Amino acid sequence: MISINMNSLWSDETEKIVKGISEATNNIIEYRNNPNTSKNMFCELIEDITTVCDSWTGKTYVGSPKKDALKNAYQAFYEELMQLLIDMKNSKKSFERKTANAMLFRGTIYRYLGTNDCMNKRTVKPEFNDIYVSWSKCPDNSYLLSKLYGTVTLMTCQISEPLYGIDLEALGCSRGNEKEVVFPTIEKYITDIEYIEEEEEGEDNDQT
């Protein structure tokens, strides 16, 4: 179990958050390497995983880049979690198999890019790499749009074989109606990129 109560931490307590994420990552590795796992051990691990995913959705914010230490810790966590889910997909243990099949996602997802700084309305272009980031199963997200300024980049991605995304909604960790999926920004899986211009105040008013 994680030694830190991550739910009580503020978003700027980076060192403690990284410690909790790293502990959960190590627990995933230990579980994967243990040939004698039990359902109780699995439930404890899922609790750790859920705690970290709750921190991801609750303590990271759209338009705000993560500190390198935090980004690296989450990346290691999601890489190990993905490998665990792949391993469990065909497990002989039904509780492992059921969880993996619920969390492994293929299908269409969407990602908004932008800045939450109203004084710096720059257009954020996609960065194609293997870094896990937040996506949504919902094409329209007025909440995310309301947090961003200037031109917003909307990407559409189709996750298909042989890859999967990690469905946080299956853990109950997705915030509001975001229906969040974690997946890297891999260019070959991007099907569309749209740039949404910020509406000027009064732009939609009827003209007389």
Side-chain angles (χ1 to χ4, degrees):
M1 299 291 289
I2 297 174
S3 65
I4 294 175
N5 181 3
M6 293 183 67
N7 294 328
S8 68
L9 299 178
W10 295 97
S11 59
D12 60 356
E13 295 183 90
T14 303
E15 187 174 336
K16 292 180 180 179
I17 295 173
V18 167
K19 185 176 188 296
I21 297 169
S22 299
E23 287 181 3
T25 303
N26 289 333
N27 291 344
I28 292 173
I29 295 170
E30 289 179 6
Y31 185 91
R32 285 183 56 217
N33 293 332
N34 187 343
N36 300 309
T37 56
S38 66
K39 189 169 185 178
N40 285 339
M41 294 169 63
F42 178 73
C43 290
E44 288 185 356
L45 181 65
I46 289 297
E47 188 174 331
D48 286 350
I49 290 170
T50 301
T51 296
V52 173
C53 292
D54 276 336
S55 177
W56 169 272
T57 59
K59 294 183 173 66
T60 60
Y61 304 101
V62 62
S64 298
K66 300 177 188 69
K67 293 182 179 179
D68 285 345
L70 201 57
K71 181 169 68 173
N72 293 338
Y74 277 123
Q75 180 67 14
F77 169 79
Y78 282 122
E79 286 176 352
E80 291 298 336
L81 176 56
M82 177 57 77
Q83 191 57 58
L84 174 69
L85 295 173
I86 295 295
D87 290 348
M88 295 194 309
K89 190 176 186 303
N90 298 309
S91 171
K92 294 179 180 179
K93 298 173 181 176
S94 61
F95 56 88
E96 290 185 343
R97 191 171 60 251
K98 181 179 179 181
T99 299
N101 288 329
M103 292 184 64
L104 290 171
F105 178 85
R106 282 181 179 149
T108 306
I109 53 176
Y110 307 88
R111 177 166 168 79
Y112 289 92
L113 301 176
T115 175
N116 61 6
D117 183 356
C118 64
M119 302 304 293
N120 181 19
K121 299 182 179 183
R122 62 189 178 88
T123 300
V124 179
K125 297 295 182 70
E127 292 185 17
F128 301 109
N129 52 42
D130 294 327
I131 303 299
Y132 282 95
V133 292
S134 295
W135 298 75
S136 172
K137 289 181 279 185
C138 299
D140 300 310
N141 196 315
S142 57
Y143 170 77
L144 291 179
L145 277 174
S146 71
K147 301 295 181 181
L148 300 173
Y149 295 92
T151 300
V152 173
T153 305
L154 172 59
M155 291 189 294
T156 304
C157 173
Q158 183 69 31
I159 306 176
S160 57
E161 293 187 26
L163 300 185
Y164 291 97
I166 301 173
D167 191 343
L168 300 192
E169 189 181 22
L171 283 177
C173 296
S174 191
R175 182 170 43 191
N177 294 318
E178 290 185 34
K179 300 184 181 296
E180 188 165 342
V181 174
V182 180
F183 187 72
T185 309
I186 302 174
E187 188 169 11
K188 68 176 290 186
Y189 293 94
I190 303 301
T191 59
D192 187 53
I193 300 176
E194 179 184 355
Y195 295 98
I196 305 169
E197 298 288 342
E198 183 179 27
E199 291 184 358
E200 297 295 333
E201 195 170 319
E203 186 175 292
D204 290 336
N205 292 343
D206 291 335
Q207 301 294 318
T208 57

